[in-house]
Amino acid sequence: MNILIIERSGSIPVKKYGGTERVIWGLGKELNKLGHNVTYLVPEGSTSDFARILILDQTKNLNDQIPDDIDIIHMNYRPLYDLKKPYLVTMHGNPPIGEKIDINTVFISKNQAKRYGSETYVYNGLDWSDFAKIDLESPRNYFHFLGKASWKVKNVFGAIAIALKSKYSIHILGGDKWTYRNIKRGFKYLFNPKVTYRGMVDDKTKMEIMQKSKGLLFPVKWHEPFGLAIIESLYAGCAVFGSKNGSLAELITPEVGFTSNSSTELVKAIREFDYNPKRCHEYAVNYFNSKVMTESYVKLYKKVLRGEDLNTEIPKYIDQENIIPKFN
C-alpha cells in the first residue's frame, strides 16, 4: 500500500515534547518494514530516512497536497472537508461537545471509544528502539510527574501533594518552575526541597531521571484518552499511580500500578506496593510497542479500502459516559 500519514502538531522526529509525533514516527517505521510505501505530510523541519517527506501547508486545501499515488490516508486530526482518497482518522484527544466526528474514526483506548459510542480503538505504541536501554537494577528513591504541567487537568499539584504525603521527593518533567500558574496556585511548593522542576527534557535526560524513579504520579482530572506518559514510565521500570479517569484503569493493571480517585488510597498504595521494575518494563515493551499498533492499523486500512466503515454509526458524545469523577 501507498500510505500517507498526515499530522500538523510538530515536525518529526521528535527531539523533546511530542505525543502524536512519536506515535506516527513508530507507525511509519513499522509500515516501511512491512513493505508499504510511507509518505508523511507534516510541518516544516521534518526529516526521515525511511519515508517520503512532504511539507504541510495549513493555509492550502489539503486535497491539493495529497499525491496521486496514495492509496489510503491516515489522518491524525479531523479533516475540515471530504478527502479525495480513502482515509481514517485517529482521535488523539477528546473532541468537544458538538464537534462532528467521522464514521472512520479510530479511538486510542477502549474507554475513549466507549465514551463516543464506538468499539473501534487501537492502543498507542512506541518504537522502544528509539529509547535508551534502562538500568532496571538502579536504586529508585523518588517519584516523578510527566506531562504538560501547565494543563490544569494533568493535576501536577495533586501529584506533588501525594508525593509529599508519602514522604517522597518528586521530579516534575514537562513544566518550568517559575510560571504564573505555579506562583498563583502552587507557591507553597516552589521552595520545597523535595520538589524539583526539570523543565522540558529530551528523551535521554527523561530516561536518566525515570530509571531512578519508583513511579509515575498521574492523578489526572479529565478523561485521559491514553497517556503516553504512562507507557514511557512503565518502560523505564516505574510503577504508575493515578486516578481512575479515562483510560487509566484500563491501562494500569494491579501488577504495574494502582488507580483510585482518592489521594489517601494512592498514598497507602505507594507505601505498600510490590515494586518490580522488570515487570513494568516488560509490560510496556510487550503490549504498547509500535509493531503491535501498526498491525492493528493495517487491518483497518484494508477494511477502509474494501469500502467498509470503521463504525456502525457516526460516533457521538454520550453525556452519561462523560461525567468525570472527582479526585480528592
Side-chain angles (χ1 to χ4, degrees):
M1 283 184 280
N2 294 323
I3 302 165
L4 177 65
I5 302 173
I6 304 179
E7 167 57 8
R8 63 185 177 187
S9 298
S11 61
I12 55 173
V14 174
K15 294 179 176 62
K16 288 191 176 181
Y17 180 83
T20 304
E21 299 95 317
R22 293 184 191 280
V23 173
I24 66 168
W25 181 256
L27 173 64
K29 287 175 72 174
E30 291 298 331
L31 287 170
N32 175 260
K33 290 177 185 178
L34 292 172
H36 301 289
N37 297 315
V38 179
T39 300
Y40 287 109
L41 184 56
V42 285
E44 189 174 2
S46 299
T47 61
S48 173
D49 59 358
F50 59 84
R52 174 173 56 170
I53 295 287
L54 300 177
I55 303 305
L56 176 66
D57 186 339
Q58 296 191 52
T59 67
K60 294 182 179 179
N61 187 300
L62 197 55
N63 277 314
D64 295 337
Q65 302 178 66
I66 298 170
D68 291 335
D69 62 352
I70 295 302
D71 297 315
I72 187 164
I73 302 167
H74 187 149
M75 291 292 302
N76 288 277
Y77 59 93
R78 182 177 63 84
L80 299 177
Y81 35 72
D82 292 336
L83 299 179
K84 67 180 183 181
K85 298 277 188 175
Y87 68 92
L88 58 74
V89 184
T90 295
M91 184 62 70
H92 291 281
N94 290 325
I97 298 174
E99 179 172 307
K100 181 182 178 182
I101 304 175
D102 198 278
I103 196 160
N104 281 342
T105 293
V106 182
F107 296 92
I108 55 177
S109 66
K110 183 176 182 179
N111 172 275
Q112 188 198 29
K114 180 181 177 182
R115 288 187 284 108
Y116 292 89
S118 172
E119 295 182 353
T120 303
Y121 67 95
V122 173
Y123 286 140
N124 282 332
L126 296 175
D127 180 3
W128 298 120
S129 68
D130 285 341
F131 291 77
K133 185 177 180 180
I134 299 299
D135 180 2
L136 297 173
E137 302 299 324
S138 175
R140 295 170 181 266
N141 304 311
Y142 51 77
F143 283 80
H144 72 277
F145 169 91
L146 174 61
K148 268 195 173 181
S150 60
W151 288 7
K152 182 179 178 181
V153 294
K154 295 291 186 177
N155 195 18
V156 64
F157 299 139
I160 293 172
I162 291 168
L164 298 180
K165 287 178 184 177
S166 304
K167 308 299 182 184
Y168 282 100
S169 57
I170 184 170
H171 289 243
I172 309 300
L173 286 68
D176 293 324
K177 183 174 184 177
W178 299 107
T179 65
Y180 175 78
R181 184 167 181 268
N182 285 346
I183 293 172
K184 184 177 181 180
R185 302 291 184 185
F187 187 80
K188 62 182 178 180
Y189 300 129
L190 290 177
F191 300 99
N192 191 311
K194 286 183 173 291
V195 182
T196 303
Y197 283 86
R198 306 301 294 261
M200 303 297 284
V201 296
D202 58 27
D203 285 340
K204 183 176 182 294
T205 304
K206 182 196 306 180
M207 288 299 158
E208 288 174 350
I209 295 169
M210 293 199 300
Q211 71 177 354
K212 296 178 182 178
S213 169
K214 293 177 74 71
L216 167 70
L217 301 184
F218 207 57
V220 295
K221 289 185 173 181
W222 76 322
H223 281 308
E224 187 76 41
F226 181 85
L228 290 177
I230 295 172
I231 63 172
E232 288 185 345
S233 297
L234 288 167
Y235 174 82
C238 306
V240 182
F241 301 89
S243 66
K244 285 188 172 294
N245 297 335
S247 63
L248 270 67
E250 176 183 345
L251 302 178
I252 304 167
T253 68
E255 292 76 26
V256 300
F258 181 81
T259 58
S260 173
N261 276 22
S262 164
S263 58
T264 301
E265 290 183 0
L266 287 172
V267 169
K268 183 174 184 292
I270 286 168
R271 293 170 176 167
E272 299 176 353
F273 192 72
D274 177 22
Y275 293 90
N276 188 324
K278 185 173 183 288
R279 184 168 59 207
C280 295
H281 175 78
E282 290 179 347
Y283 176 62
V285 169
N286 292 336
Y287 293 100
F288 302 107
N289 63 73
S290 53
K291 184 175 185 294
V292 170
M293 173 186 68
T294 301
E295 289 172 347
S296 295
Y297 273 122
V298 168
K299 293 177 182 177
L300 296 180
Y301 295 160
K302 291 179 179 178
K303 188 173 181 178
V304 171
L305 289 173
R306 291 195 301 266
E308 301 176 38
D309 293 332
L310 297 187
N311 292 284
T312 55
E313 297 181 359
I314 294 176
K316 60 183 179 180
Y317 184 94
I318 301 174
D319 290 339
Q320 64 267 28
E321 296 292 344
N322 279 271
I323 298 172
I324 302 175
K326 290 185 178 180
F327 181 86
N328 55 62

